[in-house]
Amino acid sequence: MAAAAAAAAASVASQAQAVLRGRLCDQAVVHSALRSSPDTNYSKLKYLVASSVSEACNNSVLLLGPRGCGKAAVVDMVLDDLKKDHPDAISVIRLNGMLHSDDNCATKEIARQLCLEHQLSFSKMASSDDNTEFMIDMLRECGLAHKTIIFVLEEFDLFAQGKQRLLYSLLDAMQSLTSQAVVIGVSCRLDADQLLEKRVRSRFSHRKLLFVPSSVDSLQRLMEHLLALPEDSPLPTNFRVVSYMDIDSGLLSMQSFMNALSSMQRQPKMDGLQDLSILELYILVCMNRLEDKEKSSYNFITIMKEYKSVQDAYKTSDKYSHTVCFRAFEHLLDRELISFADNKGRNQALEYRPVKLLISSRELAESLKLNTTCPAVLQKLLDRERYM
């Protein structure tokens, strides 16, 4: 009898675990509260995009807020709803600034996804101009067929660096009466729209949805909603679990929460900053200072001049040869923490090709704080205190 009772209890626990895991992994359940109010960003975004599809008009909007506030989840929910409501009337193209901030790469990826979506043959050898022209033609053809192309640009601020040719070409094409498209930009930078050039900004709708972190009360209500077994479940209604359930011990330690939180908050760029050398941090800080000084274009030679001015001012012992500095510069390129600003100077020596940062001041500041061997002067320089 005891063995049978233990087996029955284990079965109930296993069933409850499966139900709760299913609820936690189902966005429809996690964000169901968003669907019930017309004042949520989900409702506002859905109305904006749905009306653009039904009225055959062009639109653009930015979703702004810190990481972890649900921007991507809301976009996915809206797109899922629209695909159900208008299965043959929308086409979704997704780009990410971490992968596609280069104009050539972005236009090629757009062309690839458009070809895949519309069952067309894709040419890997097509030039950037050819791909841009193809994108414009597809916008026109889809508009004539009453089909809306929805562009989702994650890490939108990274597309706003450099010449911004992609954003200009896309938003300019949307000025045509024959095109039918919606651009949804997603960024953790609240000033992302201020990064746009004047010609790009004039073609943007200036619609913005601001996402803020959830309050403690709302998070508590969400946890209770997710972790309480549904009333229509055959399982006992008083059988509840706080989070990941260990059937053997039935206990949850603080370390379990810390591990889960650490896993959720991992960011590829921050991981790439953790084990950089002091010299590599100097180079990043010098690049950040050059951008603060609104240098429209700079290269390795310019960075070294900035580096020398820092050394001369502070008389530090962190001095390295030109060759060692260049190797550190190449390492940062390989790690994709910096990149070349454009592809025009491919035949130039690497020292003279314009470069740009691929990380924000905030990300760089956080990495300096976490680095226990970081010289204090670097943090001061990054805080924009002018000692020169």
Side-chain angles (χ1 to χ4, degrees), residues 182-317:
V182 176
V183 173
I184 303 174
V186 182
S187 176
C188 61
R189 288 193 57 166
L190 300 182
D191 63 343
D193 58 322
Q194 299 303 312
L195 302 175
L196 300 176
E197 295 177 354
K198 184 177 179 180
R199 60 174 187 161
V200 179
R201 193 181 298 125
S202 66
R203 289 161 172 78
F204 182 70
S205 70
H206 299 285
R207 291 183 176 87
K208 293 185 287 186
L209 295 179
L210 181 62
F211 287 70
V212 296
S214 300
S215 65
V216 174
D217 288 342
S218 61
L219 285 175
Q220 183 174 348
R221 289 194 300 270
L222 175 61
M223 293 299 289
E224 290 176 352
H225 165 68
L226 292 177
L227 300 173
L229 293 171
E231 294 182 359
D232 57 354
S233 169
L235 298 166
T237 55
N238 62 348
F239 190 79
R240 297 180 57 164
V241 182
V242 176
S243 183
Y244 175 80
M245 183 175 64
D246 185 337
I247 296 177
D248 294 330
S249 67
L251 299 176
L252 183 68
S253 66
M254 180 58 70
Q255 190 59 43
S256 300
F257 280 106
M258 298 302 295
N259 292 340
L261 184 62
S262 175
S263 176
M264 291 170 61
Q265 293 183 338
R266 284 189 63 190
Q267 299 177 25
K269 285 187 180 180
M270 293 301 296
D271 290 344
L273 285 165
Q274 293 310 304
D275 57 350
L276 293 182
S277 67
I278 298 300
L279 175 57
E280 289 164 343
L281 291 175
Y282 263 106
I283 293 175
L284 292 177
V285 170
C286 288
M287 291 178 68
N288 186 268
R289 283 170 58 81
L290 289 171
E291 294 189 358
D292 282 346
K293 294 176 183 179
E294 297 184 352
K295 292 284 186 182
S296 57
S297 178
Y298 61 89
N299 53 30
F300 175 73
I301 302 300
T302 318
I303 297 169
M304 286 299 97
K305 290 179 180 178
E306 183 72 17
Y307 174 62
K308 186 177 185 303
S309 70
V310 170
Q311 301 306 317
D312 292 343
Y314 286 91
K315 309 299 181 184
T316 70
S317 59

Side-chain angles (χ1 to χ4, degrees), residues 17 29 40 93 99-101 114 125 141 145 162 210 250-251 318 329 336 373:
Q17 186 180 54
V29 176
T40 61
I93 304 298
L99 302 174
H100 311 115
S101 59
L114 284 172
M125 304 304 294
E141 293 298 324
L210 181 62
L251 299 176
D318 301 315
F329 175 75
E336 297 185 350
T373 61

Side-chain angles (χ1 to χ4, degrees), residues 34-248:
L34 297 177
R35 301 178 186 272
S36 60
S37 172
D39 297 326
T40 61
N41 283 332
Y42 159 78
S43 299
K44 293 175 182 177
L45 181 63
K46 183 176 180 180
Y47 174 79
L48 173 70
V49 181
S51 59
S52 300
V53 173
S54 59
E55 296 172 13
C57 61
N58 296 312
N59 240 320
S60 53
V61 62
L62 282 179
L63 276 56
L64 307 176
R67 300 189 189 278
C69 286
K71 301 185 296 296
V74 165
V75 171
D76 290 341
M77 289 171 60
V78 168
L79 294 180
D80 286 343
D81 290 347
L82 290 174
K83 288 176 182 177
K84 294 175 183 176
D85 298 339
H86 308 279
D88 300 319
I90 67 169
S91 176
V92 179
I93 304 298
R94 291 179 176 269
L95 298 180
N96 189 303
M98 289 187 178
L99 302 174
H100 311 115
S101 59
D102 176 77
D103 289 329
N104 293 334
C105 176
T107 54
K108 184 175 183 179
E109 179 60 17
I110 289 174
R112 187 192 70 80
Q113 291 189 36
L114 284 172
C115 288
L116 183 64
E117 181 78 14
H118 296 88
Q119 299 179 341
L120 301 173
S121 59
F122 170 64
S123 172
K124 294 182 180 180
M125 304 304 294
S127 66
S128 178
D129 290 339
D130 290 337
N131 287 328
T132 300
E133 185 177 349
F134 173 70
M135 176 186 71
I136 295 172
D137 290 341
M138 288 300 296
L139 283 171
R140 181 175 59 252
E141 293 298 324
C142 287
L144 294 173
H146 303 292
K147 186 170 186 176
T148 300
I149 301 179
I150 301 176
F151 294 87
V152 180
L153 307 182
E154 296 189 44
E155 306 293 342
F156 179 86
D157 51 288
L158 298 182
F159 289 99
Q161 298 181 4
K163 300 297 184 181
Q164 302 185 15
R165 285 194 305 167
L166 170 69
L167 294 178
Y168 176 76
S169 299
L170 180 55
L171 293 173
D172 186 61
M174 290 168 57
Q175 305 303 306
S176 170
L177 293 176
T178 56
S179 67
Q180 194 170 332
V182 176
V183 173
I184 303 174
V186 182
S187 176
C188 61
R189 288 193 57 166
L190 300 182
D191 63 343
D193 58 322
Q194 299 303 312
L195 302 175
L196 300 176
E197 295 177 354
K198 184 177 179 180
R199 60 174 187 161
V200 179
R201 193 181 298 125
S202 66
R203 289 161 172 78
F204 182 70
S205 70
H206 299 285
R207 291 183 176 87
K208 293 185 287 186
L209 295 179
L210 181 62
F211 287 70
V212 296
S214 300
S215 65
V216 174
D217 288 342
S218 61
L219 285 175
Q220 183 174 348
R221 289 194 300 270
L222 175 61
M223 293 299 289
E224 290 176 352
H225 165 68
L226 292 177
L227 300 173
L229 293 171
E231 294 182 359
D232 57 354
S233 169
L235 298 166
T237 55
N238 62 348
F239 190 79
R240 297 180 57 164
V241 182
V242 176
S243 183
Y244 175 80
M245 183 175 64
D246 185 337
I247 296 177
D248 294 330

